[in-house]
Amino acid sequence: MITSHRITPIAEVEGESVTVSRLKAACSNCNLRELCMPAGISSTELDQLDELVYARRKVKRSDALYRTGDPFEALYAVRTGFFKTRLTFQDGRDQVTGFLMAGELIGLDGIGTEAHTVDAVALEDSEVCMIPYAKLEALSGEMPSLRTHFHKVMSREIVRENSVMMLLGTMRAEERLAAFLLNLSQRMVSRGYAALEFHLRMTREEIGSYLGMKLETVSRLFSRFQAEGLIEVDQKYVRIKDIDGLKAIYAHHTH
Amino acid sequence: MITSHRITPIAEVEGESVTVSRLKAACSNCNLRELCMPAGISSTELDQLDELVYARRKVKRSDALYRTGDPFEALYAVRTGFFKTRLTFQDGRDQVTGFLMAGELIGLDGIGTEAHTVDAVALEDSEVCMIPYAKLEALSGEMPSLRTHFHKVMSREIVRENSVMMLLGTMRAEERLAAFLLNLSQRMVSRGYAALEFHLRMTREEIGSYLGMKLETVSRLFSRFQAEGLIEVDQKYVRIKDIDGLKAIYAHHTH
DNA sequence: CGCCAGGTTGACACTTTTCAAGCCGCGTGG
DNA sequence: CCACGCGGCTTGAAAAGTGTCAACCTGGCG
């Protein structure tokens, strides 16, 4: 068990303003605990978890939390802000593989090869809790509830990606965009934000990249959804006016 | 620790011929060990692993190893044969999310919700090793090397799915099919089979489903690849004649 | 104040799907 | 043993959906 917390320099990324603070991150006080950590955990276990979270780190908008090829050291839980993960193909094409908000875990891609396979980029000024992976491995040996929870988190990521595959493989552009808006809305709700009104943190191009379409198609669809009275859009601002209408597009499958 | 191996009935799936045999599956003797299990494991640890694999199970062609909604009990390592996993959407559309061959692990989708979220279907008469998940959880508490290995396997599955997302999101049909053939070829090689000649275990429709295109498109592309001298196709038989040509299609990105 | 990234919209091109017809090969049953 | 049926595959022609290219707009920031 670690009793004195050493402050050591962490991953200095050239040319970027990365701040690491030892604030004693304290899962035990964190209001994201429900999202982030195993439910029904005992208070002694919670103390152990507090050992796990090494430090917080601030990441400025458009800076990378890590990059493809970086050695894998830690997982990160988003405290505040918004990230995307981006996979770059050998010929330079890239694709957004995920958008991450508060309480979600970034970095699972690195475990398998001990190096990151995607870039994680902040879409707004953000803060993460850093979870050194070696500690997580060790602690999960002693703490079955943590282990089980961690496995569930990974499995759910696999399942999420399955449904993205289905989205990309079988759905039309309008269905994908409806699914995307509904998914965002739902995640806002579970964080206590308004369900039907939000600011997009990403550009049309990033949305399109995630959904496998061009930015022009995204833009046209926003316009069309608005014309049909489903939503109200003004640049990054979106208000869902007819959620059932969106659900119908997403699921009803006119064919 | 379990010393006497009880033979209890396992998941009786109605109307399907599922055979479970207690053959003392014995990872220690298994020629798939390199694929399936952590490298550099000690022999005492290997004995522990043998405890983990509860039984083998035969699955006939077109039967399901498990179905969406089935309670999650175990992971399965493919011993022989070939499987697909299939995700079904609420409106009935479905998509193949993976093809699995010997040494690969099926069932990770179930951990997160304790119920399976896809169907796993044998594409030929197959046999799997059953790994009860509760045992894996428990044993991974005691055995760091197993724990680490398991986490890597899950992470690699996430990474694999990332690259399928890229395939579906950014590549054209011909690029996807080339990527598919190259991937199959590579996996054959790592199992000691011929790299450039194989029998497809899946239909055009299943390939198309996995790659997000219609079976007619798959068929046309096979014909075109053949006409261009890249491959030789006769129904399920495929021979790669110009692997560099395929790689060029996959990666070169004519645009 | 002017630039520029990000967004919108139109016209047209291209890829892939859809629909349709026909072929092949294999297993089943007469 | 052969005929039949049927799933799986191939191919063509037309339609639909999305991408490409281009012009223009807007708002924020240096």
Side-chain angles (χ1 to χ4, degrees), chain B:
Chain B
M1 218 211 298
I2 295 165
T3 45
S4 76
H5 297 272
R6 288 143 305 167
I7 300 166
T8 49
I10 302 175
E12 285 301 311
V13 185
E14 353 72 72
E16 290 185 2
S17 46
V18 174
T19 314
V20 177
S21 58
R22 270 295 297 101
L23 282 172
K24 184 61 188 142
C27 295
S28 36
N29 302 330
C30 181
N31 55 7
L32 293 172
R33 179 151 43 102
E34 308 305 326
L35 286 170
C36 203
M37 283 300 161
I41 204 168
S42 75
S43 62
T44 42
E45 285 178 322
L46 248 183
D47 289 344
Q48 287 185 284
L49 281 183
D50 284 349
E51 303 293 331
L52 190 55
V53 175
Y54 177 73
R56 296 193 199 159
R57 182 169 150 187
K58 287 189 195 298
V59 187
K60 286 229 167 121
R61 182 191 151 97
S62 91
D63 279 351
L65 174 59
Y66 58 77
R67 288 215 173 75
T68 303
D70 285 356
F72 169 67
E73 308 281 0
L75 300 174
Y76 304 91
V78 180
R79 266 185 69 82
T80 62
F82 205 91
F83 286 82
K84 69 174 174 184
T85 51
R86 176 181 54 199
L87 179 62
T88 303
F89 189 59
Q90 47 201 80
D91 63 7
R93 279 180 286 188
D94 58 24
Q95 170 148 16
V96 172
T97 55
F99 294 113
L100 300 166
M101 29 202 293
E104 295 175 331
L105 206 56
I106 314 185
L108 298 174
D109 59 281
I111 298 172
T113 55
E114 294 172 25
H116 285 291
T117 63
V118 299
D119 303 330
V121 177
L123 295 183
E124 62 183 33
D125 292 357
S126 302
E127 197 176 10
V128 297
C129 296
M130 184 174 175
I131 305 169
Y133 185 64
K135 270 199 212 172
L136 175 62
E137 273 281 338
L139 193 53
S140 78
E142 306 162 21
M143 251 180 89
S145 67
L146 175 64
R147 183 164 71 241
T148 303
H149 184 256
F150 180 52
H151 294 166
K152 286 190 176 182
V153 168
M154 293 199 92
S155 172
R156 282 194 217 109
E157 174 64 10
I158 289 171
V159 171
R160 179 193 74 82
E161 292 194 0
N162 275 342
S163 69
V164 175
M165 284 169 59
M166 162 138 278
L167 193 109
L168 293 171
T170 73
M171 292 187 168
R172 303 179 354 163
E174 58 174 18
E175 299 174 300
R176 295 182 210 176
L177 191 63
F180 173 73
L181 290 172
L182 290 168
N183 176 268
L184 267 191
S185 164
Q186 189 184 310
R187 284 154 78 196
M188 297 301 270
V189 170
S190 71
R191 277 155 191 81
Y193 297 113
L196 302 178
E197 201 170 356
F198 42 82
H199 279 272
L200 300 172
R201 302 307 176 16
M202 66 297 279
T203 66
R204 301 287 188 267
E205 184 167 24
E206 286 162 336
I207 296 172
S209 174
Y210 182 62
L211 297 178
M213 60 184 96
K214 293 295 161 187
L215 67 97
E216 293 94 329
T217 305
V218 175
S219 180
R220 276 185 245 275
L221 286 171
F222 272 135
S223 301
R224 213 184 82 202
F225 283 0
Q226 181 161 50
E228 290 168 350
L230 294 165
I231 61 174
E232 204 180 303
V233 205
D234 180 22
Q235 303 283 97
K236 308 246 163 164
Y237 168 84
V238 173
R239 189 166 69 84
I240 296 177
K241 291 170 69 179
D242 178 4
I243 197 163
D244 293 330
L246 280 183
K247 283 179 183 162
I249 288 182
Y250 164 54
H252 198 68
H253 184 209
T254 343
H255 188 75

Side-chain angles (χ1 to χ4, degrees), chain A residues 203-204 216 219-220 223 235-236:
Chain A
T203 66
R204 301 289 188 265
E216 292 94 331
S219 181
R220 274 187 246 276
S223 301
Q235 302 284 96
K236 307 246 165 166

